[in-house]
Amino acid sequence: MIVLGLTGSIGMGKSTTAQMFVAEGVPVYDADAAVHALYAPGGAAVGPVEAAFPGVVVDGAVDRARLSARVVGHPEALKALEAVVHPLVAAHRAGFFKDAIKAGADIAVLDVPLLFETGGDRTVDKVVVVSAPPDLQRQRVLARPGMDGAKFEAILARQTPDAEKRARADFVIDTGQGLDHARQQVRDLLTRLRAPPPLEAGGEAAH
C-alpha cells in the first residue's frame, strides 16, 4: 500500500482536497480529527490529559481553550501533553492502516497539517502539497469568522513556507483554478501512482 502525506498551509484547500481523495475511494486519515475524537467525551485521551493537567476537562471532554492556556508558551508542559497524546494518536493511526489494508486499499492518505514541521514527511512514501496563489490564500483565510491579518500572519509564521513545501513535494495540487481542475489533478495523480512500473531492456519490471 502506498502512503501519501497530504499537507498544505492554511487557506490552501487541503481539507477540500482530502475529500476529493475520499470521493475517489481512497481512505484518508485526518490527524486533526483524530485528536478531536480523543479529546471528546469517551475519548481515550480524556482521562490521561485530566490526570496530567487537572481542571482541563469540562462535561467529560477536554476543553481545548483551557488546555492551550496551560501549554502554550510552556515547553515542558507541551512535552508532557505530547507524551500523553502522541502514543494514542499513533495507536489510532495504526488501526486506520490495519483497516485500510484489510479493505484492500492500494493507496491511503495521511492528512497532516504540519507534516514537514513534525518530520512526518519521512514516514510516508510520497508527499502531496496543496497550494494556491498567495492573494487567494489570504482572501480565503480572512473570510473565516474571527480571523484577521495579525492572526493570519502569526499562523503563517509557524508553518513551513508554501514555496519550500512545493519544492519538497512529490506532487502539488493547485486549488487556485477551481474545484474541477483540482479534482482532475487528484485523479491524474492516482492514475500515475497505479500505473505499472516501466519495463527494463531485459523485459522485467524495474525494481
Side-chain angles (χ1 to χ4, degrees):
M1 186 172 69
I2 299 171
V3 179
L4 301 178
L6 180 69
T7 193
S9 299
I10 183 173
M12 291 302 195
K14 180 181 61 61
S15 296
T16 300
T17 303
Q19 289 308 306
M20 291 177 183
F21 279 99
V22 172
E24 296 299 321
V26 176
V28 174
Y29 183 82
D30 185 330
D32 275 355
V35 173
H36 277 280
L38 290 169
Y39 285 177
V46 175
V49 169
E50 174 66 14
F53 302 95
V56 301
V57 170
V58 178
D59 296 331
V62 174
D63 186 303
R64 296 172 75 94
R66 290 191 181 194
L67 182 60
S68 293
R70 300 279 286 274
V71 301
V72 173
H74 303 282
E76 292 303 316
L78 184 59
K79 281 184 182 178
L81 176 62
E82 289 173 345
V84 171
V85 175
H86 284 184
L88 294 173
V89 172
H92 193 270
R93 187 169 58 234
F96 162 82
F97 279 125
K98 185 177 179 181
D99 290 344
I101 291 170
K102 190 175 179 180
D106 58 344
I107 297 171
V109 171
L110 284 183
D111 177 353
V112 184
L114 301 178
L115 186 73
F116 289 118
E117 294 83 349
T118 58
D121 55 306
R122 296 190 295 271
T123 69
V124 298
D125 297 310
K126 300 286 183 182
V127 173
V128 181
V129 166
V130 182
S131 185
D135 56 340
L136 181 56
Q137 176 193 23
R138 173 175 285 274
Q139 180 184 325
R140 287 171 175 171
V141 175
L142 294 184
R144 297 180 180 183
M147 184 61 69
D148 57 35
K151 287 181 182 178
F152 175 46
E153 295 300 333
I155 292 169
L156 280 185
R158 296 197 300 269
Q159 298 184 338
T160 299
D162 178 59
E164 183 180 337
K165 283 191 174 87
R166 285 188 278 110
R168 295 170 63 181
D170 295 291
F171 300 97
V172 176
I173 302 294
D174 174 14
T175 66
Q177 300 181 54
L179 293 176
D180 289 342
H181 185 258
R183 191 175 293 111
Q184 189 58 51
Q185 291 174 81
V186 168
R187 289 171 177 163
D188 290 346
L189 184 161
L190 293 173
T191 298
R192 285 178 61 185
L193 288 175
R194 288 169 171 150
L199 295 178
E200 291 182 335
E204 294 185 0
H207 295 290

